[in-house]
Amino acid sequence: MISAGDFRKGITFEMDGDVYQIIDFQHVKPGKGAAFVRAKIKSVMTGTTKDLTFNPNDRYPRARIETKEMQYLYNDGELYYFMDNETYEQLPLEKQQVEEAIVYIKENDNAIIRFYEGKPFEVVAPNFVELTVSHTEPGVKGDTATGATKPATLETGAVVNVPLFVNVGDKIKIDTRTGEYLSRV
C-alpha cells in the first residue's frame, strides 16, 4: 500500500479498478485547513489523464509493473513490432502505446517495454540516444554569439532545437526525457 502523502513522479497505484501513474504532484499546506496532495495522474490502460486532489492519509494498493528490454524491429504503417531478446517472440504495439518514445528509437535499437499483468502499456526510450540530422537550415555565420538555436529534423522524424553550428549529416546526442540537444558526437 502507498499513501497519497508518499506520491512521487512515476509511481503506479490501483484506484477504482484501474491502474494510474503519477505524472505530476504537489503537496499543498494551506494556511487554514488540512494539507492535501494535488496530483495529475494518467491511466496506464487507457492513457487518459485526470487532475485530482487526495487526502495525504488516503492509501492505495501499489501496482506491480514489469519491465522488459526489447528490440524495435519495424513499423508496418499501423503497428510497431518489438522482439523479446530472450524468446525472440514479436510483440505488436499500437501507435498510442509508442508515440512518445518512437521518435527517438531507430530500427534494431533496444527500448524498455512496461507491462501490467502481462499487458504492455508503455514504451520507454533510452535516456540518451545518438541520432543523425536529416534536415536543418544552414546557420548564418557571425550569429553564434547569442547562443541561438534552430530546429533540426532527425533521422527518426523527431524535431529538436540545436545550435547554429549543427549541419545535415551530423550525429548528435539527445536527452529523450526532455527532448533537448546535448552535444555533437
Side-chain angles (χ1 to χ4, degrees):
M1 298 290 275
I2 184 167
S3 69
D6 295 331
F7 278 179
R8 300 288 176 264
K9 262 187 172 179
I11 286 180
T12 52
F13 66 97
E14 296 178 30
M15 182 179 78
D16 301 331
D18 201 353
V19 178
Y20 293 95
Q21 182 176 20
I22 307 288
I23 295 173
D24 201 9
F25 71 97
Q26 181 180 14
H27 294 277
V28 181
K29 295 177 185 158
K32 277 185 171 179
F36 60 93
V37 178
R38 186 176 292 135
K40 184 173 192 168
I41 59 176
K42 176 182 176 184
S43 170
V44 163
M45 296 302 156
T46 63
T48 58
T49 59
K50 299 182 193 180
D51 289 313
L52 295 175
T53 56
F54 297 91
N55 181 329
N57 300 323
D58 291 347
R59 297 179 64 78
Y60 299 96
R62 208 168 191 156
R64 294 272 175 238
I65 304 297
E66 301 160 30
T67 60
K68 191 179 266 191
E69 188 168 333
M70 300 181 87
Q71 182 181 20
Y72 172 53
L73 297 177
Y74 64 94
N75 164 15
D76 70 0
E78 290 181 28
L79 299 173
Y80 295 81
Y81 291 87
F82 290 82
M83 179 181 68
D84 188 323
N85 293 330
E86 296 165 13
T87 64
Y88 303 109
E89 289 181 33
Q90 289 189 19
L91 175 69
L93 296 176
E94 296 177 6
K95 182 169 179 58
Q96 70 198 35
Q97 296 169 302
V98 301
E99 64 188 333
E100 290 179 22
I102 203 68
V103 294
Y104 301 112
I105 304 172
K106 297 184 295 189
E107 289 183 0
N108 301 321
D109 281 354
N110 285 339
I112 302 293
I113 312 286
R114 299 180 74 197
F115 296 85
Y116 174 70
E117 293 183 350
K119 183 179 176 191
F121 68 87
E122 182 182 33
V123 176
V124 180
N127 290 343
F128 305 103
V129 293
E130 295 178 1
L131 298 170
T132 306
V133 176
S134 62
H135 175 75
T136 188
E137 299 297 323
V140 179
K141 201 170 188 95
D143 197 13
T144 57
T146 60
T149 61
K150 61 183 178 180
T153 304
L154 306 177
E155 60 187 303
T156 59
V159 177
V160 176
N161 284 328
V162 298
L164 296 177
F165 59 80
V166 174
N167 297 312
V168 172
D170 287 353
K171 196 168 205 169
I172 60 174
K173 189 172 188 177
I174 305 293
D175 183 340
T176 62
R177 297 165 294 188
T178 61
E180 293 179 357
Y181 164 87
L182 293 175
S183 65
R184 207 163 35 170
V185 181

